[in-house]
Amino acid sequence: EGLRLHLSSSSSTGYKCVRADRSRYQAAHSVGGRVVYLGGWYRTAVEAAVVYARAVGEYQPPAPPTVATEAEGLRLHLSSRNATGYKGVQADGDRFLARHWVDGKEAVSLGTFATPVEAAVAYARAVGE
């Protein structure tokens, strides 16, 4: 997830700002000299340590997946507003649906594909690119 967890040799949990109470764990953070508890109780010390790392700004989101710009001799239509990275392609369970709009009114399904690139190729063919 891109987090750096804060280890502590002086804490019984092994993590900075994570405390244990029987079989539960809680993360806390000091803000202006006051203790602020982060969320509720967690089942593991690691879960609480992740909450602490996010709270102190250690969260680094994973890099966006790289997308192909061309495939099978076609220019693929990239989209920064679409989670798949391609215009006309959306996740459909564990597959990817390609579709395009005709005259801005009617969605035409181009099929489902195993990868987003395959779906993007179908979209590029359909729109004449």
Side-chain angles (χ1 to χ4, degrees):
E1 194 178 312
L3 293 171
R4 183 178 70 82
L5 301 183
H6 299 259
L7 301 177
S8 171
S9 60
S10 63
S11 169
S12 64
T13 65
Y15 297 99
K16 180 178 178 182
C17 297
V18 173
R19 72 181 184 113
D21 180 25
R22 290 179 230 132
S23 61
R24 311 180 300 174
Y25 299 88
Q26 187 174 43
H29 181 50
S30 179
V31 177
R34 297 185 60 170
V35 175
V36 176
Y37 292 100
L38 306 170
W41 291 95
Y42 301 93
R43 291 184 359 198
T44 68
V46 172
E47 288 175 316
V50 166
V51 169
Y52 175 78
R54 285 182 181 149
V56 298
E58 295 294 331
Y59 179 65
Q60 306 259 327
T66 57
V67 294
T69 58
E70 290 185 17
E72 298 182 24
L74 298 168
R75 182 184 64 83
L76 304 182
H77 298 260
L78 304 181
S79 173
S80 61
R81 296 187 297 168
N82 185 322
T84 66
Y86 298 103
K87 184 175 181 181
V89 176
Q90 69 185 56
D92 185 24
D94 61 346
R95 295 185 56 84
F96 296 88
L97 172 68
R99 66 181 180 170
H100 76 100
W101 294 87
V102 176
D103 297 326
K105 300 177 191 174
E106 180 182 348
V108 176
S109 175
L110 305 171
T112 60
F113 302 86
T115 69
V117 172
E118 291 173 14
V121 167
Y123 178 86
R125 282 195 179 114
V127 298
E129 294 285 324

